[in-house]
């Protein structure tokens, strides 16, 4: 009687196992190193571990007023060779998570993720960040917001207290889960702009939304056929990097080399990308980031949301 092969684990399970393996590999530390593993601060704006220095920062050049948005963000300085992850971490890893506690009338938006880089660990291909990173988040101030009053000062000495609970996975060959509790006071009156250069750089590195009419993703067997018209002049004729926002759909490893053809014709970019052999998701639309690298670390990137044509 023939024996049946055991079913192959699904892609999410494989991805989780890969992450668990990397975390487990970090279990062998000296006692001195162990003392530096995840540290949590509940009193200030900075958390320092053996692998990162994380700081809650703000950008409110005109203070805080009803109807006037301002920015906050988590600034992470990685130790050399260590990295954290993008919204789609790739074959392993986990994206950084931010949970905000804010006064009534102030709401946090989504992270304005800067363009990541591709990080290979063995046969795994991940998307993340090294060096210094800022994850900016817009805060919306409603017209109904009223700043607190300070005895004898009205609202002249008032502050907005911003609290953040953050969790991140920092990896080299091993991975360490870390977290921190942050608190920051932003003056209602006056300017908070100490980190304006960091915010300017992070927002400039955010992929720009592109309303590319006619953009399409077509399922073609074990590949996706991509078609994107209307890309800016900076992209025309260039070989583009692809960063899928939806995890566990494309084969990240195959998409790093020459295994996927791309070309330009009459200003329209087309490409064929291999599907992940363990794909479990069947999205009806795919948000894609397309990037062209300039000299050094300079890059330009665009975000396209394309409908999926054809049955999975």
């Amino acid at each position: 009687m023939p024996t049946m092969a055991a079913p192959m684990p699904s892609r999410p399970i494989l991805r989780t196992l890969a992450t668990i393996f990397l975390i487990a590999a970090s279990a062998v530390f000296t006692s001195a190193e162990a003392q530096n593993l995840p540290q949590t601060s509940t009193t200030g704006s900075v958390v320092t571990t053996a692998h990162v220095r994380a700081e809650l920062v703000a950008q409110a050049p005109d203070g805080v007023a009803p109807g006037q948005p301002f920015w906050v963000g988590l600034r992470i300085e990685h130790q050399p060779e260590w990295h954290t992850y993008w919204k789609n971490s790739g074959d392993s890893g986990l994206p950084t998570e931010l949970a905000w506690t804010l006064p009534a009338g102030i709401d946090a938006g989504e992270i304005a993720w800067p363009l990541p880089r591709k990080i290979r660990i063995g046969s795994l291909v991940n998307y993340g960040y090294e060096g210094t990173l800022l994850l900016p988040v817009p805060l919306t101030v409603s017209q109904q917001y009223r700043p607190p009053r300070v005895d004898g000062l009205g609202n002249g000495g008032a502050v907005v207290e911003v609290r953040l609970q953050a969790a991140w996975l920092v990896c080299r060959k091993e991975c360490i889960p870390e977290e921190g509790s942050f608190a920051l006071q932003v003056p209602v009156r006056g300017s908070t702009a100490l980190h304006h250069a960091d915010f300017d750089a992070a927002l400039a590195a955010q992929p720009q939304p592109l309303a590319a009419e006619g953009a399409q993703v077509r399922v073609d067997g074990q590949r996706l056929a991509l078609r994107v018209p209307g890309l800016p002049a900076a992209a025309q004729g260039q070989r583009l990097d692809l960063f899928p926002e939806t995890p566990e759909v494309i084969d990240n490893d195959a998409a790093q080399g020459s295994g996927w053809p791309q070309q330009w014709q009459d200003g329209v970019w087309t490409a064929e990308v291999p599907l992940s052999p363990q794909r479990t998701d069947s999205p009806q639309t795919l948000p894609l980031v397309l990037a062209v690298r300039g000299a050094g670390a300079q890059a330009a990137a665009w975000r396209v949301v394309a409908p999926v044509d054809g049955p999975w």
Side-chain angles (χ1 to χ4, degrees), residues 78 80-91 113-121 124-133 171-172 205 207 241-244 252 256 289 291 293 296-297 299 301:
H78 302 85
E81 300 181 4
W82 291 83
H83 61 270
T84 53
Y85 292 94
W86 186 49
K87 61 168 70 176
N88 172 13
S89 58
D91 288 333
W113 294 92
L115 180 69
R117 63 182 297 266
K118 297 175 181 179
I119 301 170
R120 182 181 288 278
I121 302 177
L124 304 178
V125 174
N126 299 325
Y127 307 121
Y129 307 97
E130 297 174 324
T132 299
L133 162 72
C171 301
R172 187 172 53 183
D241 283 342
L242 171 67
F243 298 87
N252 297 306
Q256 302 316 300
V289 172
R293 297 285 177 180

Side-chain angles (χ1 to χ4, degrees), residues 19 78 140 191 233:
T19 302
H78 302 85
T140 302
S191 176

Side-chain angles (χ1 to χ4, degrees), residues 9 30 32 64 70 94 114 117 122-123 135 138 159 227-228 237 252 262 273 277 280 288 306 309:
T30 66
V64 180
F70 65 104
L94 295 168
R117 63 182 297 266
S123 62
L135 297 177
V159 297
R227 181 183 185 277
V228 182
N252 297 306
Q262 56 173 285
V273 184
T280 57
L288 305 169
D309 180 40

Side-chain angles (χ1 to χ4, degrees), residues 280-298:
T280 57
D281 197 3
S282 301
Q284 296 305 303
T285 60
L286 273 180
L288 305 169
V289 172
L290 301 174
V292 56
R293 297 285 177 180
Q298 297 300 313

Side-chain angles (χ1 to χ4, degrees), residues 253-278:
D253 185 25
Q256 302 316 300
S258 58
W260 61 293
Q262 56 173 285
Q263 62 181 353
W264 290 90
Q265 185 174 1
D266 298 329
V268 177
W269 180 80
T270 59
E272 292 185 2
V273 184
L275 284 173
S276 167
Q278 303 301 327

Side-chain angles (χ1 to χ4, degrees), residues 96-148:
T96 298
E97 296 183 353
L98 308 180
W100 302 94
T101 301
L102 301 167
I106 300 180
D107 296 306
E110 299 295 325
I111 298 173
W113 294 92
L115 180 69
R117 63 182 297 266
K118 297 175 181 179
I119 301 170
R120 182 181 288 278
I121 302 177
S123 62
L124 304 178
V125 174
N126 299 325
Y127 307 121
Y129 307 97
E130 297 174 324
T132 299
L133 162 72
L134 176 64
L135 297 177
V137 173
L139 297 188
T140 302
V141 185
S142 74
Q143 293 291 346
Q144 289 70 43
Y145 171 74
R146 294 295 179 266

